[in-house]
Amino acid sequence: MARPGAACPPPARRVMVAARALLFWALVYSYCGVCACIAGLRLLWSIGRRPGETFRWVVRENPPSCLNDPSLGTHCYVRIKDSGLRFHYVAAGERGKPLMLLLHGFPEFWYSWRHQLREFKSEYRVVALDLRGYGETDAPPHKENYKLDCLIADIKDILESLGYNKCVLIGHDWGGMIAWLVAICYPEMVTKLIVVNFPHPSVFTEYILRHPSQLIKSGYYFFFQMPWFPEFMFTLNDFKVLKSLFTSQATGIGRKGCRLTAEDIEAYLYVFSQPGALTGPINHYRTIFSCLPLQHHEVIMPTLLLWGERDAFMEVEMAEITRIYVKNHFRLTILSEASHWLQQDQPDIVNKLIWTFLKEEAKRKRE
């Protein structure tokens, strides 16, 4: 009989691995079913209350003027050789200046960085990208095209296509997940890492399994595993869910924040009301459980983590735990009155904190 603590023989180890995998996927699909049932009940409730309004879906034909505001920069496109995909981005600041690359979250697009495009163009070439499947960027039809490896490679290839070999990388929400992974996989390409409201991916995967409250808040990760139904639910009541994400008291920008204007909301509705516009963004989540946990964890460049304490989707405790994975200067700033949509909610404060971090790191490097 094996001694306590001794290594398991290969057959026993394989059984343990298989059992853990079975339990993991049972959890994923069970919770997926629970989320689907809740969504179905909400659908029935909506039909019962307002049957005529429930299935209303208005496709916005023309973009609001804010999307073509010249103060935000120039709309550009780049085609990646390896994947063949064409990416859309908005760029501000002179070519040749250091690159600042901005990665948005869900359900957002390049416009979520409008305040940063205006702010940092004086010293950087600021590029706000539409991620794979979003907005005017190409959207491959199969969910396998949205695995994390593909998303990480996109950023590397775009950087090279823009004529740069390194950048200041900034990501929010799902874009923060990608930013962490790019920093881990291609550290030579990231001079400084700034993440907004997303913990280190290893913290997220470990924390969510140990804290039911975070598991509930991340229920949409599981709901999105279903085909077509999540996209359908977003379209109900003319994208009521999308509007409420940014404006409701529970999940929207806080009462002391910089609320979205009616034109800002129309910009989001213009992008996501187009036929098929939600499938690419949701496909980002449909492969996530086969890609995590990570094999490599360490982040070796200076890192700034900004966090809105009133985040309805991410518990603030994960922010502090992230520190253990950064093997360089790490700064964490938590804003007590800010929501999940931090760079839109508190743009002046966020911009000031980013400037301070960049200038302190430049000074530290000279010394």
Side-chain angles (χ1 to χ4, degrees):
M1 186 172 67
R3 291 178 290 105
C8 295
R13 187 180 298 114
R14 285 196 295 270
V15 170
M16 290 178 63
V17 170
R20 289 181 64 183
L22 181 63
L23 288 171
F24 175 75
W25 287 108
L27 170 64
V28 169
Y29 287 111
S30 296
Y31 196 26
C32 174
V34 170
C35 293
C37 290
I38 294 172
L41 291 173
R42 287 176 176 170
L43 172 59
L44 292 174
W45 174 256
S46 178
I47 293 173
R49 290 185 63 201
R50 298 178 179 177
E53 290 292 312
T54 297
F55 301 106
R56 188 167 70 93
W57 172 2
V58 179
V59 177
R60 277 67 179 176
E61 300 291 343
N62 300 305
S65 59
C66 62
L67 293 183
N68 292 308
D69 183 347
S71 72
L72 296 178
T74 305
H75 290 261
C76 306
Y77 302 85
V78 61
R79 189 171 296 278
I80 304 303
K81 291 182 180 180
D82 289 345
S83 67
L85 299 179
R86 189 183 77 154
F87 284 78
H88 169 254
Y89 63 92
V90 172
E94 297 176 8
R95 296 178 184 272
K97 288 183 176 180
L99 178 64
M100 176 181 284
L101 186 59
L102 309 174
L103 310 180
H104 63 79
F106 174 89
E108 299 176 284
F109 62 113
W110 71 265
Y111 188 68
S112 68
W113 297 109
R114 59 196 176 280
H115 302 291
Q116 288 68 45
L117 282 162
R118 292 192 183 101
E119 177 70 21
F120 295 100
K121 64 183 180 181
S122 60
E123 293 189 22
Y124 290 88
R125 174 71 169 172
V126 188
V127 170
L129 188 68
D130 275 344
L131 295 174
R132 176 183 291 222
Y134 281 84
E136 295 184 57
T137 290
D138 287 347
H142 303 297
K143 69 177 185 180
E144 290 76 16
N145 297 124
Y146 295 86
K147 289 185 176 180
L148 288 175
D149 287 348
C150 298
L151 306 180
I152 297 166
D154 284 345
I155 307 308
K156 173 181 177 292
D157 294 341
I158 287 166
L159 198 70
E160 293 172 348
S161 298
L162 294 175
Y164 287 86
N165 56 22
K166 57 185 177 180
C167 70
V168 173
L169 186 60
I170 306 181
H172 167 249
D173 182 68
W174 184 260
M177 162 81 87
I178 298 173
W180 282 114
L181 296 175
V182 171
I184 292 167
C185 297
Y186 299 106
E188 72 281 1
M189 288 191 157
V190 182
T191 58
K192 299 173 187 67
L193 176 66
I194 301 171
V195 179
V196 183
N197 278 77
F198 201 92
H200 186 287
S202 293
V203 172
F204 180 66
T205 53
E206 293 164 6
Y207 189 91
I208 195 173
L209 293 174
R210 297 174 182 172
H211 297 81
S213 56
Q214 181 59 56
L215 190 68
I216 293 170
K217 290 179 180 179
S218 300
Y220 60 98
Y221 277 70
F222 299 87
F223 179 53
F224 287 171
Q225 303 309 304
M226 299 185 66
W228 72 264
F229 192 47
E231 289 95 318
F232 171 70
M233 290 299 294
F234 262 92
T235 66
L236 297 180
N237 295 289
D238 194 27
F239 297 88
K240 181 180 179 181
V241 170
L242 182 66
K243 299 171 193 173
S244 66
L245 281 173
F246 295 103
T247 61
S248 72
Q249 186 173 358
T251 65
I253 291 176
R255 60 185 177 83
K256 292 187 178 181
C258 183
R259 294 185 182 276
L260 300 188
T261 66
E263 191 176 35
D264 293 334
I265 296 294
E266 277 303 307
Y268 280 88
L269 293 175
Y270 168 75
V271 168
F272 290 106
S273 69
Q274 306 306 314
L278 282 160
T279 299
I282 292 176
N283 274 342
H284 279 246
Y285 293 86
R286 287 183 169 132
T287 61
I288 185 66
F289 294 111
S290 63
C291 299
L292 295 175
L294 303 178
Q295 292 184 344
H296 305 287
H297 306 275
E298 291 188 353
V299 175
I300 62 172
M301 69 286 301
T303 301
L304 171 65
L305 178 58
L306 300 176
W307 203 280
E309 192 173 23
R310 295 171 64 89
D311 191 326
F313 309 102
M314 294 283 173
E315 295 188 352
V316 69
E317 288 77 12
M318 291 188 286
E320 184 59 43
I321 303 172
T322 291
R323 184 184 303 275
I324 66 177
Y325 290 101
V326 180
K327 307 306 177 183
N328 202 314
H329 176 63
F330 175 77
R331 169 170 288 190
L332 168 63
T333 301
I334 299 172
L335 303 181
S336 60
E337 293 294 328
S339 70
H340 177 75
W341 320 102
L342 187 56
Q343 80 273 23
Q344 299 185 75
D345 187 330
Q346 305 282 351
D348 293 341
I349 297 174
V350 167
N351 292 346
K352 183 177 180 181
L353 290 169
I354 292 174
W355 274 128
T356 300
F357 173 73
L358 294 174
K359 290 176 179 177
E360 284 181 353
E361 286 305 315
K363 181 180 179 182
R364 185 177 285 109
K365 189 174 180 179
R366 287 195 301 269
E367 294 175 348

